[in-house]
Amino acid sequence: MRLFYAALALEANNFLPLPTSYQAFVEKLYFPPGKYPARGAHQTGAMDAVRARARSGEFELIEGSCYAAQPGGAASRAAYERMRDEILGQLKAALPIDGAVFNLHGAMVAHGYDDCEGDFLERVRALTGPNCVIGVELDPHCHLTRKRCGLADVIVLFKEYPHTDFAERGEETVDFVLRAIRHEIKPVKSVFDCRLIASFPTSIQPMRGLVDRIMALQGKDRVLSVSIGHCFPYGDVPECGARILVITDGAKPHGDRLAEQIGRELIALREQAAPKFYDVDGAIDAALAHPGGPIVIADATDNAGGGAPSDNTTFLHRLIARGVQGAAVAPIWDPIAVRLAFDAGEGARLPFRFAGKIAKSSGPPVDAEVEVIRCVPDAHQTFAGAVVPLGDVASIRMGGVEAVLISTRAQAMGTDLFSNFGIDPKARKILVVKSNQHFHASFSQIAAQVLYAEGDGPLPRDYRKLPWRNIERPIWPLDAETTPRLII
Ligand SMILES: [Zn+2]
């Protein structure tokens, strides 16, 4: 048996003027064949599983290239076509194959392509023919389009947000593909379109309960896999929206009923899924009023994980203006400021300008007398055991407020985003993190309380504020009346 594996991942926020180049992929994640790392990460969630099962002798693994960029604007046409054609060339050279497994994020848009994964899988299918079993692991912030559902035999989404279960879902994807190749199962899809866009963190109720219930359904009554496509609510493509995917072993009517039932449950909780959101000063007030610490405040509207620049300055300005002591903000994406801090050196004190650069929504820059705390070349943070590169990083202090400046754009994921740079997160009163939800897995372990804030970054919580042009209507909350339905 011969199996091919590759990865291509971008979550594209096509409302933003932040272009995603080929270089943006190479900087974030690029593993050519033969250069895979010891452990996969969440954009290569099935990598460990395919390698482990190849080592056990079940099949011969043919490695393809793996690419992933930090969420940002749409990829350039040249970048997408270069990576796509590189992987397709490797696949063609690997033929004949019995199966293929891909990690595709699922919300990739490139200039000229609003469904990159659908385009990619169409070309894969054209090369492999109909008998090759194609399995895809996707991020739940994907667009679960009809086209890609028709092209892949197996699609499995992460169930958790934060995405801590990428490895387990990767194991399932590989397992289903191998069983289908051996004709032990016949995967059949049912897809229910909920006609809504929303955010669904799974660390809190009511989503926690729904995820636990779908986990319990798997492996019974011929149900192989149940996935909730949360949607990526900043991707303006026709099929953006929450969808439920149920894969059964040849039991389509049962899958259809289950997909609709779970879809109706998701619709019923859409207004309760998100936690309470404070405004900026409200979040600072609540943190200061708390007797303990650290209080972790998520600046969700400037989350690089949703494609934001991560250089909005509103929290910094308010913390400094209010004279707050023991506060730290991270990460701030400002490679030029990092360079200046490196030039000044650790321990230097100097007048310094940083952040507030990329877009109007970044706000005005911060000008302050700062002390350079730490300069770390080629630095990183961690997420669920995986290494997340940050490029060169400098930490700075101005009065009672500290900030971590990074060169490779990323969202806050691990508490080592502070501790690696001379800031003890447990000893601070307030930690402001630029993230919507991924921070929660690590920071909830040290936080006296976690607060969510709606700042004035480019990712509004109210999706009606965005200039949608391509999305199919009607869809909630842009429209009050919708018609949820089974689409596959
Ligand atoms: Zn995601």
Side-chain angles (χ1 to χ4, degrees), residues 201-247:
T202 62
S203 48
I204 53 169
Q205 296 295 3
M207 270 307 279
R208 182 70 258 147
L210 184 57
V211 171
D212 290 341
R213 285 201 295 287
I214 65 168
M215 299 272 268
L217 293 168
Q218 295 191 167
K220 289 180 207 141
D221 302 326
R222 296 165 71 187
V223 176
L224 296 172
S225 173
V226 181
S227 292
I228 298 174
H230 298 196
C231 87
F232 177 53
Y234 304 101
D236 185 16
V237 296
E239 292 188 71
C240 175
R243 291 178 174 180
I244 309 297
L245 167 64
V246 174
I247 302 182

Side-chain angles (χ1 to χ4, degrees), residues 11 139 141 163:
E11 184 179 74
D139 187 292
H141 298 118
H163 306 325

Side-chain angles (χ1 to χ4, degrees), residues 271-326:
E271 283 172 84
Q272 297 101 52
K276 171 184 166 71
F277 270 77
Y278 292 82
D279 65 20
V280 173
D281 276 300
I284 297 171
D285 289 341
L288 293 174
H290 194 288
I295 311 303
V296 176
I297 302 173
D299 185 3
T301 58
D302 195 27
N303 168 28
S310 197
D311 75 335
N312 174 280
T313 52
T314 307
F315 262 103
L316 283 162
H317 282 301
R318 293 305 302 150
L319 289 166
I320 293 167
R322 293 178 63 165
V324 173
Q325 298 297 306

Side-chain angles (χ1 to χ4, degrees), residues 56 113-114 123 134 180 188 225 230 255 279 290 355 368 395:
S56 76
Y113 299 91
D114 62 23
R123 292 164 193 271
I134 298 176
V188 176
S225 173
H230 298 196
D279 65 20
H290 194 288
S395 51

Side-chain angles (χ1 to χ4, degrees), residues 188-429:
V188 176
K189 292 184 216 71
S190 300
V191 180
F192 184 81
D193 185 349
C194 302
R195 302 309 302 148
L196 67 90
I197 48 177
S199 179
F200 297 102
T202 62
S203 48
I204 53 169
Q205 296 295 3
M207 270 307 279
R208 182 70 258 147
L210 184 57
V211 171
D212 290 341
R213 285 201 295 287
I214 65 168
M215 299 272 268
L217 293 168
Q218 295 191 167
K220 289 180 207 141
D221 302 326
R222 296 165 71 187
V223 176
L224 296 172
S225 173
V226 181
S227 292
I228 298 174
H230 298 196
C231 87
F232 177 53
Y234 304 101
D236 185 16
V237 296
E239 292 188 71
C240 175
R243 291 178 174 180
I244 309 297
L245 167 64
V246 174
I247 302 182
T248 58
D249 183 9
K252 172 85 171 142
H254 181 50
D256 289 354
R257 278 193 301 277
L258 212 51
E260 168 143 17
Q261 182 195 321
I262 296 160
R264 300 275 173 203
E265 281 190 56
L266 193 74
I267 294 167
L269 61 76
R270 68 191 180 189
E271 283 172 84
Q272 297 101 52
K276 171 184 166 71
F277 270 77
Y278 292 82
D279 65 20
V280 173
D281 276 300
I284 297 171
D285 289 341
L288 293 174
H290 194 288
I295 311 303
V296 176
I297 302 173
D299 185 3
T301 58
D302 195 27
N303 168 28
S310 197
D311 75 335
N312 174 280
T313 52
T314 307
F315 262 103
L316 283 162
H317 282 301
R318 293 305 302 150
L319 289 166
I320 293 167
R322 293 178 63 165
V324 173
Q325 298 297 306
V329 181
I332 300 288
W333 181 49
D334 191 338
I336 302 291
V338 171
R339 171 63 197 265
L340 295 175
F342 269 65
D343 288 348
E346 292 181 358
R349 291 169 189 273
L350 69 163
F352 200 73
R353 168 171 281 203
F354 68 100
K357 282 191 177 63
I358 300 298
K360 198 173 173 186
S361 58
S362 301
V366 177
D367 286 287
E369 285 287 320
V370 311
E371 177 190 351
V372 179
I373 305 169
R374 200 64 70 77
C375 296
V376 182
D378 204 14
H380 70 275
Q381 62 178 333
T382 52
F383 176 69
V387 169
V388 179
L390 300 170
D392 293 347
V393 172
S395 51
I396 57 173
R397 181 179 296 126
M398 55 238 113
V401 179
E402 294 158 318
V404 177
L405 312 176
I406 64 172
S407 302
T408 298
R409 198 167 51 87
Q411 68 175 300
M413 294 183 124
T415 54
D416 53 358
L417 175 60
F418 292 98
S419 59
N420 286 350
F421 310 110
I423 298 170
D424 178 1
K426 291 185 195 144
R428 295 297 176 272
K429 174 69 183 174

